[in-house]
Amino acid sequence: MPGSVKSFETDELPEEILNNSFEVCILVLTYNHEKFITRALRSILSQNFELPTCLLIIDDCSPDDTSSRIKSVLREEKIPKNFQVFNIRHISNQFQRGRNFSREVFNAINSKFFALCDGDDAWSDPEKIQIQYSFLNSADGVKFSACGHDSIVVDDEGKVISENKLPESMRRDFDSMSLKRCQCFCLTNTLFFRGDVEFPENLGAVPNGDNIIWSTLGF
């Protein structure tokens, strides 16, 4: 039996999502990613993971063909039976209004873990989620709030530009103080973290929004 797919046009999170609970929630934020979104979604739907999973796709009112590409993938690809897919297209662009939708999602959705994959990223390993889930649930992983990994940089055609995006000096563990002070370098598109974290939503003009994630996870 295939999983479910539901689509919405709204600037808010539908109650149907808020009233559910998941083992893992995968958040895909996308804007003008028509060249990449098909590959991103296929890489997620091909994950070998069997526990209850939410795939939340949020298109921030893209003026290009992103929305129709998303619908095509969800119509043509096999949806894993453990997946509940929620496809949201914003009525108006929320980023231009200074709204950080990702932190709202983290705080509002009841999920044991979260994973991130922007619309212009993709996962190359079908075991990615299972590996990270198993680690954070292990005896060694219980003391960690999150885990991530290196990534490969490619161009629009998929040609490899660099085999490593993460500097060698950053391929290591970070303690809580390093995270709090943002004395770390992590790749957001590889992040897998615990859901029992309350992220601040209104911080004014913070230059780098990712720093909010690292610092909060440090606490």
Side-chain angles (χ1 to χ4, degrees):
M1 182 177 178
S4 64
V5 176
K6 297 185 179 179
S7 296
F8 307 85
E9 288 198 11
T10 176
D11 289 336
E12 306 300 329
L13 288 172
E15 288 295 324
E16 191 167 350
I17 304 176
L18 302 180
N19 292 333
N20 268 283
S21 60
F22 309 96
E23 199 70 15
V24 173
C25 176
I26 303 169
L27 174 61
V28 177
L29 297 177
T30 184
Y31 180 77
N32 279 4
H33 290 153
E34 64 178 11
K35 294 181 180 180
F36 315 103
I37 191 64
T38 297
R39 182 174 59 187
L41 295 180
R42 284 177 175 168
S43 75
I44 295 170
L45 294 173
S46 65
Q47 288 292 301
N48 293 326
F49 186 73
E50 298 183 352
L51 295 176
T53 301
C54 166
L55 170 54
L56 175 56
I57 308 162
I58 300 178
D59 173 16
D60 199 16
C61 197
S62 299
D64 69 354
D65 205 31
T66 297
S67 181
S68 63
R69 300 284 176 90
I70 293 171
K71 291 177 181 178
S72 293
V73 173
L74 298 181
R75 182 173 59 251
E76 297 168 4
E77 295 294 317
K78 180 181 179 181
I79 308 299
K81 62 182 180 180
N82 60 308
F83 270 56
Q84 291 188 54
V85 181
F86 300 94
N87 176 29
I88 297 176
R89 175 174 168 79
H90 283 164
I91 299 170
S92 58
N93 185 278
Q94 299 300 296
F95 180 80
Q96 293 178 348
R97 298 185 176 188
R99 187 177 182 186
N100 189 293
F101 217 80
S102 60
R103 294 199 296 274
E104 289 188 32
V105 168
F106 302 153
N107 290 341
I109 292 183
N110 182 16
S111 182
K112 188 174 179 180
F113 297 99
F114 284 94
L116 304 178
C117 184
D118 284 344
D120 58 349
D121 292 320
W123 296 339
S124 59
D125 188 347
E127 304 294 333
K128 169 191 160 63
I129 292 297
Q130 183 61 62
I131 291 170
Q132 293 182 297
Y133 178 89
S134 296
F135 170 71
L136 288 185
N137 278 298
S138 69
D140 290 332
V142 70
K143 60 186 177 182
F144 288 85
S145 59
C147 59
H149 50 84
D150 201 356
S151 66
I152 299 170
V153 182
V154 300
D155 63 16
D156 291 3
E157 305 299 325
K159 182 180 178 181
V160 176
I161 298 173
S162 173
E163 293 285 351
N164 305 102
K165 186 174 182 180
L166 195 63
E168 188 171 356
S169 62
M170 295 290 123
R171 299 173 206 165
R172 59 182 178 85
D173 296 342
F174 296 101
D175 61 20
S176 60
M177 189 57 68
S178 296
L179 289 171
K180 290 176 185 178
R181 295 176 174 176
C182 299
Q183 296 171 336
C184 60
F185 183 65
C186 308
L187 303 178
T188 307
N189 63 314
T190 75
L191 192 65
F192 190 89
F193 61 95
R194 301 187 187 279
D196 56 348
V197 179
E198 185 72 21
F199 287 89
E201 294 180 11
N202 301 306
L203 292 177
V206 177
N208 184 351
D210 287 350
N211 283 347
I212 300 169
I213 296 178
W214 317 138
S215 186
T216 304
L217 290 174
F219 281 93

